[in-house]
Amino acid sequence: MQPSPSLIPSRSNLAGWLYVSPLVLVLVPFFVAPILVVLAASFFATDGFGGLTPGFTLASYVEVLHSALTLKLYLATIKFTALTWVLTLIIGFFVAYFLVFHVRNQLLAIGLFLLCTVPFWTSNIIRMISWIPLLGKEGLINQALLAMGVIHQPLEVLLFSDLAVVIAYVHQLTIFMIVPIFNSMARIDKKLIEAAIDAGASRFDIMRLIVVPMSKSGIALGTIFVVSIVMGDFFVVKVMSGGGSASVVSAFYEDVGVLQYPTAAASAVLLTLVLVAIVSVILRTVDIRQEIAR
Amino acid sequence: MKSDRGDIELAGVCKSFDGITNVVDGVNLRIADGAYCCFIGPSGCGKTTILRMIAGHEDPTSGEIVIGGQNVVGLAPVQRRTAMMFQSYALFPHLTVRENIAFALRVRGQSKADRLRAADAMIDKVRLTQFADRLPAQLSGGQQQRVALARAAITEPRVLLLDEPLSALDEQLRVQMRQELRRMQQELGITFIHVTHTQLEAIALADLVVVMEQGKIKQAGAARDVYAHPHDRYVAEFMGGQNVLSGRVEKVNGASFTLSQAAPDGIEVPLQARATVSIGDIVDIAVRRDDVALVRPGRDLPPGCTTSLPSRVLAIEYQGYFVKVMLDTVPDDEFVAYVPEKTFFADPFTVGDVVMATWATGSALPLA
């Protein structure tokens, strides 16, 4: 045991630093340093062939902000984010609600909960490829609809489209909603539900007035996960849209491909700021500290 | 729904959760409108299950529950016009005191202005006006209890059900809130059913005390009846304040019988309500702890006392207005005398002293 830190101020500082040192050792090289590098690169000039000239210029930002493409990509990304968020929220909320309030057997609830994680036993790429036999032109859905005579031409919109992108996102990210919402719902004392019934509340009243407000912090956490993952993605968009759609990140991925490092860096910084703004709005509305602290 | 009466009748009510054992086993009981009724018994005796069945949170496996002349089995709590105050209160943690109390009115679709006015009137009644905008977590235990009471009472139920309402409070507050419950009950003029495992709480509050064991009612009656005239050994021991002795009937002589015991002449017991006793029966009797007098050996017994049992003092506890003297009078059972403080200290005993435990013959009570 070390001597009580509060007695000797200088020692207390040292002890404090020792406590946080593992986190610092991870965060500084793998998080802070790359961000600083990107931030620095966004202000550098370039010779157009990958060479960077150290200095300070806002040229890259001017270029990014003046490009009509930037706005278009942000709108596209926000559209994907909003759709994915709404769908994962609805599905995630009801899955969690079902598991917490309708599955009486706790073992069964845990089993079903684990079932939700099954898609994650395989890689992201395989999960996306596995949509092809279902959604493709010759896929199961088209075949079924053709056979039933609902359609006469295979639906092209199913695969390599915005719809496919959203389906893949929802498939991938619903679990990120389920887990935190499940977590906060599981903490709701069942007696509260009974008290609400006693007061005459309907099922809908209970959900609206008790369950939703008390799951707010879980919803906020899930939202942060989903929004930041979708906004930071380019891979799913690229694969599932068949190259037909792009996101903010795919644009600066292209920039990197053609050695335009400063504009890529400036786009990255911009996106980071947008995400920070979104997350801080969420944190301002919902106090998730209680969720983490409890 | 039409009747405003809150009289309750339980007829052959049984409840089984597993289909094998009855948690509540054929309970018959009548509770008058506007009565304060306490269910008391050890944990697992089925008292809370009965409460929850009256409240409509549990359905009886068989039997009828009649409130105000109407069988309410299968009806929702709202239709029964009952309200429940939960153990540890179950206040909505994200709602303020006012919103908690107005909750039932809100889900009944009352306008915001109306329900807040009604809630404020109720808040005033439970003296929480200055805390109306606080969250439950910012209140003390006693205040939370008042919020829970107000939340349950706001719908003007005809029966209010309280599940161990005082168990979350510390001793001093418990006594204080006990009075408040009684005051509220008189003010509202409705039937209160209160589940507790504290004897003092039950006899202090209730018009009707119902003692339960293993899903059955052991005795139901006025507090004084149950305390002073327990039916059987279980009730006597559970309610406390009694010494229970058992022995074989030696002689039956008219209005009394004699029980063989360590005492040289046996114990003389008046027959009272217990009509049939025959020689050779094993009978339990109860003697109130505060009826027992202790006399030093060789001294005269107080008038009216025919029985005296030689005993050794095992332990002495000072309790303020009386002194609790524990004796080895009967081999297997506890035997305790509550001696008034002044009497005790006029001639104090010490542990190990031999004394004669005696009581007025008429105060011994034969048990079923």
Side-chain angles (χ1 to χ4, degrees), chain A residues 189 191-202 205-206 208-211 213-214, chain B residues 52 57 77-78 82-84 86-88 90-94 103-104 106-108 151:
Chain A
D189 187 350
K191 281 214 174 120
L192 295 183
I193 309 295
E194 219 162 55
I197 293 171
D198 201 78
S202 65
D205 284 333
I206 292 172
R208 187 171 61 102
L209 300 173
I210 310 292
V211 177
M214 292 190 71
Chain B
R52 291 172 53 80
H57 292 296
V78 189
T82 58
M84 183 146 167
F86 289 80
Q87 190 175 10
S88 66
L91 298 175
F92 305 124
H94 60 295
F103 184 85
R106 183 170 178 189
V107 298
R108 270 153 223 230
R151 187 180 66 175

Side-chain angles (χ1 to χ4, degrees), chain B residues 218-277:
Chain B
K218 280 292 178 178
Q219 188 171 354
R224 199 161 171 226
D225 259 3
V226 174
Y227 183 80
H229 302 282
H231 272 174
D232 60 9
R233 175 180 270 266
Y234 176 81
V235 176
E237 283 177 348
F238 190 79
M239 294 309 293
Q242 304 272 3
N243 294 303
V244 182
L245 300 87
S246 89
R248 185 181 300 277
V249 176
E250 260 181 358
K251 262 193 313 211
V252 181
N253 31 357
S256 67
F257 62 94
T258 309
L259 209 61
S260 75
Q261 254 293 346
D265 306 321
I267 302 171
E268 195 187 347
V269 184
L271 256 174
Q272 293 183 7
R274 209 186 141 95
T276 50
V277 167

